Amino acid sequence: MFRTRLISGIILVLIALAVIISGGPVLAATLFIISVIGLNELYRALGIEDRKFSPLAAVGYLGCAVYYIMVYCGYTAYTMKVVIAVLVLVMAVYVFTYPRYKTDQVTGTFFGVLYVAVMLSFIYELRQMQNGVYLVWLIFLSSWGCDTCAYCVGMLFGKHKMSPRLSPKKSVEGAVGGVVGAALLGAIYAAAISGRMTGEANHVLSFAVICAVGGLISMVGDLAASAIKRNHDIKDYGKLIPGHGGILDRFDSVIFISPVIYYLAEALLGKF
């Protein structure tokens, strides 16, 4: 199991390197595909989609596609209009197919578009900015770096449970270690790319702060995804990634912190 998980993790990192370095249409298309798969996993977990055609899920996929088209074409001023249109269409399906769907399925459909598609799209938006080829990696340093550091510190020193009912293996000591570890990774990364980025900001301090905050919030994203699974009595969202589960199992914290890192970078580094 560990070997399978390790190999899958290495392959994921290599794919992430290739896709993010490429940027542009390659990154946009990849994020769109990941979003669609993630939506499918979430909709199945929430009982919105099964083997039969689901008009409600179809609206979610359509909204995801249109949203990514707007982002890729640079029409970010229209993205809120797309979100509102998705809400209107979701409610229309709810009305005209009544009583096929329950209220929680309707809200879950709209939530899925925001949670998976919209939030994940910030990876692309950050990558497209000036210095984005460097800044975008803060998302993964915050998420995967915090997760790894938290695991190691928790295994060695963990005594106090952080959320015993939701995730018994996570400890307060591990959480602190994860945040500190993410901050150190951010500082080291900033020092490594020193001189390559434009602007006069203190990159070492800024990157450390961004990764620390991102690492802290990433744990909320991880626990939130776990809470959804527990509420619906499922172990994993899918089986796409051997040893890891589905897209939402592996990218739960990445999805959650992508917009956070984007706005933190904008605030601390100005216009990049």
Side-chain angles (χ1 to χ4, degrees), residues 14-254:
L14 293 176
I15 292 174
L17 281 168
V19 170
I20 292 176
I21 290 174
S22 298
V26 173
L27 177 58
T30 302
L31 290 174
F32 170 67
I33 293 171
I34 291 174
S35 295
V36 170
I37 297 173
L39 275 178
N40 178 261
E41 292 176 351
L42 183 63
Y43 288 168
R44 288 184 179 277
L46 299 180
I48 297 167
E49 184 175 14
D50 50 27
R51 295 181 179 180
K52 297 180 181 179
F53 172 74
S54 171
L56 206 53
V59 170
Y61 296 135
L62 176 63
C64 175
V66 175
Y67 190 90
Y68 268 95
I69 291 172
M70 294 295 103
V71 171
Y72 176 68
C73 293
Y75 300 143
T76 52
Y78 296 94
T79 52
M80 181 54 67
K81 296 179 177 63
V82 173
V83 171
I84 293 173
V86 170
L87 177 58
V88 172
L89 287 174
V90 165
M91 296 307 293
V93 171
Y94 182 37
V95 169
F96 293 113
T97 62
Y98 188 85
R100 176 173 177 177
Y101 297 107
K102 303 298 182 181
T103 305
D104 57 343
Q105 294 174 304
V106 174
T107 55
T109 301
F110 184 66
F111 164 75
V113 175
L114 291 177
Y115 174 53
V116 182
V118 173
M119 295 183 78
L120 196 63
S121 71
F122 279 90
I123 294 178
Y124 177 80
E125 293 200 51
L126 183 56
R127 173 62 177 83
Q128 289 301 103
M129 291 291 185
Q130 183 180 356
N131 294 319
V133 67
Y134 304 114
L135 294 173
V136 72
W137 295 106
L138 295 178
I139 294 173
F140 300 95
L141 283 175
S142 299
S143 174
W144 295 348
C146 178
D147 185 51
T148 301
C149 292
Y151 175 79
C152 294
V153 173
M155 288 290 291
L156 294 173
F157 307 106
K159 293 182 179 180
H160 301 87
K161 301 300 182 183
M162 184 170 66
S163 182
R165 295 186 64 182
L166 183 57
S167 186
K169 294 183 179 180
K170 295 186 186 299
S171 65
V172 174
E173 293 81 2
V176 173
V179 172
V180 173
L184 288 174
L185 288 172
I188 293 170
Y189 176 59
I193 63 171
S194 178
R196 299 183 184 182
M197 291 183 60
T198 59
E200 300 178 357
N202 185 333
H203 295 133
V204 172
L205 179 60
S206 297
F207 279 31
V209 171
I210 291 170
C211 285
V213 176
L216 180 63
I217 296 176
S218 74
M219 288 185 282
V220 178
D222 181 37
L223 290 171
S226 296
I228 294 173
K229 288 191 291 186
R230 286 188 179 275
N231 278 341
H232 293 84
D233 297 319
I234 58 174
K235 184 178 183 297
D236 294 314
Y237 283 103
K239 300 179 180 179
L240 180 65
I241 308 171
H244 293 270
I247 288 294
L248 295 183
D249 294 296
R250 181 65 276 179
F251 289 88
D252 48 9
S253 56
V254 170

